[in-house]
Amino acid sequence: MKKLNQKLALAGVAVLMSLGSGNLVAQDQGRPGRGNFDPEQMRQRMMEGYKERLEVKSDDEWKVIQGRIEKVVEARREVGLGGPMGGMAFGRGGRRGGDGPDQQSGGNGQGGRRAFGGGTPSPEAEALQKAVESKASADELKAKLAQYREARKEKQAKLEKAQDELRKLLSVRQEASAVLLGLLQ
C-alpha cells in the first residue's frame, strides 16, 4: 500500500509538472531572473489541465467538479507531507550544525525540515523526527510512532472520502482519466 501511495504521489507530481511545463517555458523566455513563480497561477493551470483531460464542457459542471478535485489534491498533499514523501523532506543526514541553518535547505533556518513542495511535515512527523534525533527511549519512540500512524490513518481516510465524493460526480470515462491523472485510485 505504501509503495502504491508513493507511486501515485510521484505520478501526480509528474502530471503537475507536465501540465504546466510548456506554458512556463514560453513565459520565461526573454525574462531575466526566471524567479517569478506564482503558486496561484500554477494551481490555475493545473485545474485547467484537469478540466481539459476530464473533458468537462459545462462551466456549471466544472465548478462542482473543481471543488471536489481541490479537496482531493489538498488531502493528497496532507497525506504526502506526513508520509513517505515527508521523509524526503528531512534531507540526507538530517540537520547539520545543531539548530543552525541547514546547508541543504538553502539556509532557511528550517533545519532541513521543509517538505517537498514547500510545505511542512505534520506535527506528528516533527515529533517523531525529534524523538529519533534525540535518541529517545524505546517507549517514547513507540508512543510517537503510534501517534504518527494514527494521524496518518486519519489523513488517509480523509483522502479516501474526498476521492469517493469526486468519483460520484464523474462519468466512467472521466473516472478512468482521473485514475490516470492520479486523482483517484
Side-chain angles (χ1 to χ4, degrees):
M1 186 69 168
K2 284 184 180 181
K3 286 188 179 198
L4 177 62
N5 285 339
Q6 286 176 333
K7 287 180 182 179
L8 288 174
L10 289 173
V13 169
V15 167
L16 292 176
M17 291 176 71
S18 68
L19 288 175
S21 63
N23 291 337
L24 289 174
V25 170
Q27 288 178 357
D28 278 346
Q29 289 181 351
R31 198 186 307 175
R34 293 187 181 199
N36 299 326
F37 176 74
D38 181 2
E40 180 56 31
Q41 210 174 39
M42 175 68 169
R43 187 197 70 77
Q44 190 168 352
R45 272 195 219 111
M46 182 178 72
M47 287 299 146
E48 288 170 6
Y50 286 143
K51 181 179 180 182
E52 183 179 314
R53 296 282 304 269
L54 294 175
E55 300 174 356
V56 179
K57 304 296 183 214
S58 161
D59 287 338
D60 292 334
E61 179 186 10
W62 175 243
K63 285 178 185 176
V64 176
I65 292 174
Q66 180 180 3
R68 301 281 173 90
I69 288 174
E70 288 171 348
K71 286 181 181 180
V72 168
V73 169
E74 174 66 23
R76 231 177 50 200
R77 194 180 88 239
E78 286 180 17
V79 167
L81 291 176
M85 294 298 287
M88 292 172 47
F90 293 102
R92 290 192 173 120
R95 292 192 291 183
R96 295 182 189 172
D99 292 325
D102 183 340
Q103 307 260 330
Q104 287 178 320
S105 64
N108 62 11
Q110 295 289 322
R113 293 173 191 263
R114 287 183 58 84
F116 182 77
T120 56
S122 69
E124 296 82 11
E126 285 278 341
L128 180 59
Q129 181 66 29
K130 286 179 184 177
V132 169
E133 288 175 355
S134 68
K135 300 188 185 325
S137 69
D139 288 339
E140 185 178 346
L141 283 170
K142 284 181 184 179
K144 299 291 183 195
L145 194 52
Q147 291 170 348
Y148 172 81
R149 285 180 173 149
E150 185 58 34
R152 182 126 171 93
K153 278 184 195 175
E154 291 172 10
K155 290 175 185 175
Q156 186 64 38
K158 182 179 173 183
L159 173 59
E160 290 170 7
K161 180 181 178 197
Q163 288 174 328
D164 286 342
E165 290 174 358
L166 174 60
R167 186 178 290 110
K168 290 175 186 175
L169 296 176
L170 303 177
S171 69
V172 174
R173 181 179 180 86
Q174 289 172 324
E175 181 178 351
S177 293
V179 169
L180 292 173
L181 289 168
L183 291 170
L184 300 176
Q185 294 184 7

